[in-house]
Amino acid sequence: MNQFLSVVTHGAQVIYVRAQLSSLENQFQIQKGTLFIMATKTPITVAHGDGIGPEIMAATLHILEAAGAQLDIETIEIGEKVYLAGNSAGIAPEAWDSLRRTKVFLKAPITTPQGGGYRSLNVTVRKALGLYANVRPCVSYHPFVKTKHPVMDVVIVRENEEDLYAGIEYRQTNDMMLSLKLISRPGCEKIVRYAFEYARRFNRKKVTCFTKDNIMKISDGLFHKVFDEIAAEYADIENEHWIVDIGAAKLADTPEAFDVVVMPNLYGDILSDVAAQIAGSVGLAGSSNIGTSCAMFEAIHGSAPRRAGQNMANPSGLLLGAVLMLVHINQMETAERVHNAWLKTLEDGIHTYDIYKDDVSKEKVGTKEFADAVVARVGQKPSQLKAVTYVKQDGEASEVSKPATTNKAAAKKEATKETVGVDVYLDCVGKSPDEIGRAIEALNGDGLKLELVTNRGTKVYPDGLPETFTTDHWRCRFLSEKAIEHKHITALLNRVSEAGFDFIKTENLCTFDGKAGYSA
Ligand code: NAD
């Protein structure tokens, strides 16, 4: 859209205004010859959720309004009622229209009904809207909130779309279940770059990466490799990598050693809860889910149904989620006012039941009273806790959400791929490893030769050990000295089937620029 604003004046009087401005539409008025430009309201979508959701959302919106947030709110229904009305995703089709229109979603927690068949709303929304980064600041508020880690200030950046959360699972045999762990180069590039951009923008000094690439050399290995490649582009930010097990132990023991920590989805899911809990309480953390066009903001806790309707719940997690939203939509002064008023309230000892402690708290309050206390402090700053400042960014939305295509890594040429073999998985009972190995070896052909048979990843043929425990799930690896074609694999499968074996899955073995793309 072409944008313009023309104002014709006669002396001090405005006599004519014509405007077409995307961000100022309907936001100006002429009254008695004076042009008033009204503050721009940002459209957002709000869901009040289930359990304690409606109470903490009401408290949050009350505080945002009192602090002068300029929001144009569209309300949608999600959660338990929608699930129980027969929508297995927990979100009505028309709600998507609002989310696509506003692109900003402030979401209260919801209750997922018990029993099978209900899909996780969070996972659905994250995947459908491409919210690839989950960001959780985990801060301790010593001495006002009890914690063993008084100087903790860690931001967990969790990859949000891939890994085991692809939700692709199979029962392959009577005894064996499979979950697919998917890690892609673009997925790694997006999240790692996001972590470094976040660090740069919020003046963080170090980005740490956690993976388990000593075991998962290909999938986690890629995450680590991409981390190293992208880290090299950010010379101003320190970087380091930890194996996730010892890294997690260090994070739980010495969180002050960390600043921004980026990791694949599953580790991030677990460790962001650990980090929030050791900071003081999961009830105090908010999070953002960022995509290239949409973003969702929420508390990290659930709907706490046992506390619902009692004016007891702590609205802080959702309120801090809303602060992240204000930063995202570039309403920095309001974000600062809300955040500092909240810090001052904590510091003044006005606490909900979950963080109330006789020796540090002054007043135990309910949800509404806590919100009123924050509202009464709008404009004030904490005196002992560190006050926050947010710097306004150029442009409309300020949050880092750069697509990954800008980086050097993505500019690399495609590797040359050759298929050099196939792993054939069998469901087989009642045969020994040697019987299976010998029978399968007899099916070699078209250059494909049986290299080995494994059971749960351990070699059992040739030269297996009698002590190795085996299940009904066998992998037969065929390799060829030259590249093979699909027809060679289908011919092999026909021979396997004709020999009376039940093959349940195949996995092509490929090289990329001559390097093996499969585990040894
Ligand atoms: P929960 O986070 O709701 O509650 C865990 C504990 O923390 C409870 O003891 C609760 O009383 C307390 N608690 C949580 N938030 C609090 C707050 N703001 N103030 C004071 N105390 C608080 O976890 P749960 O009990 O395992 O799950 C309850 C429901 O929430 C389930 O249906 C679950 O599926 C859902 N859930 C939703 C989300 C979400 O919408 N993002 C996230 C997690 C769980």
Side-chain angles (χ1 to χ4, degrees):
M1 180 170 78
N2 289 328
Q3 304 207 6
F4 59 82
L5 170 67
S6 354
V7 182
V8 179
T9 56
H10 179 67
Q13 290 243 306
V14 176
I15 53 172
Y16 175 77
V17 180
R18 199 162 158 256
Q20 181 167 300
L21 290 169
S22 58
S23 59
L24 281 181
E25 267 167 346
N26 307 321
Q27 302 296 330
F28 58 91
Q29 292 173 4
I30 302 170
Q31 284 174 15
K32 294 184 184 161
T34 304
L35 172 67
F36 289 92
I37 295 186
M38 321 295 282
T40 307
K41 287 196 169 186
T42 306
I44 66 164
T45 302
V46 165
H48 290 257
D50 301 316
I52 59 169
E55 295 161 75
I56 60 173
M57 183 58 86
T60 297
L61 294 179
H62 174 43
I63 297 166
L64 295 189
E65 192 184 1
Q70 295 300 312
L71 303 172
D72 190 357
I73 294 174
E74 293 183 13
T75 305
I76 60 167
E77 190 76 62
I78 57 165
E80 202 172 18
K81 265 193 250 156
V82 184
Y83 279 118
L84 296 176
N87 185 316
S88 67
I91 176 164
E94 55 276 15
W96 292 110
D97 299 336
S98 172
L99 293 173
R100 268 189 232 109
R101 198 165 37 245
T102 67
K103 303 184 188 322
V104 180
F105 186 17
L106 181 61
K107 175 185 155 292
I110 60 140
T111 301
T112 312
Q114 295 289 310
Y118 301 108
R119 276 183 285 145
S120 158
L121 175 88
N122 265 2
V123 175
T124 304
V125 172
R126 282 173 194 160
K127 285 198 193 163
L129 299 181
L131 308 180
Y132 65 87
N134 182 281
V135 185
R136 278 189 192 179
C138 301
V139 182
S140 60
Y141 304 100
H142 175 79
F144 305 101
V145 178
K146 280 259 152 93
T147 170
K148 291 178 187 140
H149 304 288
V151 289
M152 176 171 178
D153 182 2
V154 175
V155 180
I156 307 286
V157 177
R158 161 188 170 195
E159 197 288 317
N160 223 9
E161 295 178 294
E162 302 196 335
D163 198 347
L164 287 152
Y165 291 70
I168 304 174
E169 294 195 299
Y170 303 97
R171 179 171 179 173
Q172 293 195 307
T173 68
N174 200 43
D175 290 343
M176 190 58 76
M177 317 298 142
L178 174 84
S179 300
L180 270 190
K181 171 168 166 129
L182 295 175
I183 303 275
S184 74
R185 178 169 265 279
C188 296
E189 286 173 354
K190 277 199 291 186
I191 194 65
V192 171
R193 183 164 299 282
Y194 182 89
F196 278 96
E197 286 290 323
Y198 181 98
R200 189 174 268 174
R201 159 128 191 259
F202 292 102
N203 236 344
R204 299 273 175 167
K205 306 288 174 245
K206 182 168 77 173
V207 180
T208 304
C209 173
F210 284 178
T211 70
K212 187 77 184 167
D213 66 338
N214 54 335
I215 301 295
M216 283 159 279
K217 297 187 167 77
I218 295 184
S219 54
D220 279 24
L222 175 67
F223 199 96
H224 186 175
K225 185 169 187 287
V226 168
F227 178 79
D228 288 346
E229 285 168 10
I230 290 179
E233 295 177 37
Y234 293 82
D236 50 326
I237 298 164
E238 202 188 321
N239 71 79
E240 62 180 6
H241 172 268
W242 290 72
I243 298 293
V244 61
D245 39 22
I246 189 62
K250 175 91 174 166
L251 178 68
D253 183 65
T254 323
E256 57 276 19
F258 296 96
D259 196 343
V260 175
V261 189
V262 64
M263 53 192 122
N265 207 340
L266 179 63
Y267 315 139
D269 191 2
I270 298 165
L271 291 182
S272 56
D273 269 19
V274 171
Q277 182 63 38
I278 64 170
S281 162
V282 277
L284 291 182
S287 79
S288 55
N289 294 269
I290 305 288
T292 39
S293 61
C294 298
M296 174 169 87
F297 303 88
E298 59 184 345
I300 73 166
H301 59 73
S303 60
R306 283 190 305 125
R307 307 288 178 193
Q310 297 161 54
N311 189 37
M312 284 180 83
N314 187 346
S316 298
L318 185 60
L319 185 67
L320 292 186
V323 168
L324 295 171
M325 176 190 76
L326 291 171
V327 172
H328 176 78
I329 60 178
N330 217 4
Q331 296 194 17
M332 300 299 189
E333 284 156 19
T334 316
E336 212 169 284
R337 268 197 298 277
V338 172
H339 203 154
N340 283 329
W342 177 78
L343 288 169
K344 176 82 175 116
T345 309
L346 274 195
E347 198 178 89
D348 287 348
I350 298 171
H351 295 166
T352 43
Y353 84 94
D354 54 314
I355 55 168
Y356 184 90
K357 290 277 178 312
D358 281 338
D359 49 338
V360 286
S361 307
K362 296 224 167 60
E363 203 184 331
K364 191 189 275 182
V365 291
T367 315
K368 281 191 194 129
E369 295 71 30
F370 183 82
D372 290 341
V374 177
V375 167
R377 286 163 180 77
V378 166
Q380 297 182 34
K381 288 187 175 171
S383 45
Q384 278 177 265
L385 292 169
K386 194 166 168 253
V388 295
T389 42
Y390 293 111
V391 182
K392 208 163 177 75
Q393 300 287 298
D394 294 337
E396 268 180 40
S398 62
E399 188 55 270
V400 218
S401 52
K402 286 192 179 174
T405 47
T406 52
N407 64 65
K408 289 177 196 158
K412 275 190 188 158
K413 71 166 183 55
E414 295 254 311
T416 304
K417 177 176 137 179
E418 274 188 335
T419 306
V420 294
V422 62
D423 276 350
V424 179
Y425 288 77
L426 305 179
D427 178 352
C428 184
V429 282
K431 284 192 168 64
S432 72
D434 282 348
E435 282 168 337
I436 292 175
R438 281 194 292 270
I440 290 290
E441 208 157 35
L443 308 174
N444 286 350
D446 296 322
L448 283 167
K449 280 196 201 133
L450 182 73
E451 284 281 312
L452 80 171
V453 179
T454 67
N455 196 294
R456 300 192 306 169
T458 304
K459 187 176 86 162
V460 291
Y461 180 86
D463 308 324
L465 297 179
E467 290 81 7
T468 305
F469 178 81
T470 56
T471 67
D472 54 5
H473 186 262
W474 308 82
R475 178 180 60 147
C476 306
R477 170 158 291 185
F478 290 88
L479 278 170
S480 164
E481 278 167 15
K482 316 191 290 246
I484 56 158
E485 296 175 40
H486 285 162
K487 63 181 181 196
H488 301 130
I489 296 174
T490 48
L492 172 66
L493 292 179
N494 280 333
R495 294 196 295 277
V496 170
S497 179
E498 279 159 17
F501 286 100
D502 177 13
F503 68 83
I504 47 171
K505 175 183 153 73
T506 63
E507 200 73 60
N508 291 2
L509 305 177
C510 300
T511 57
F512 293 83
D513 288 340
K515 274 200 207 143
Y518 45 89
S519 49

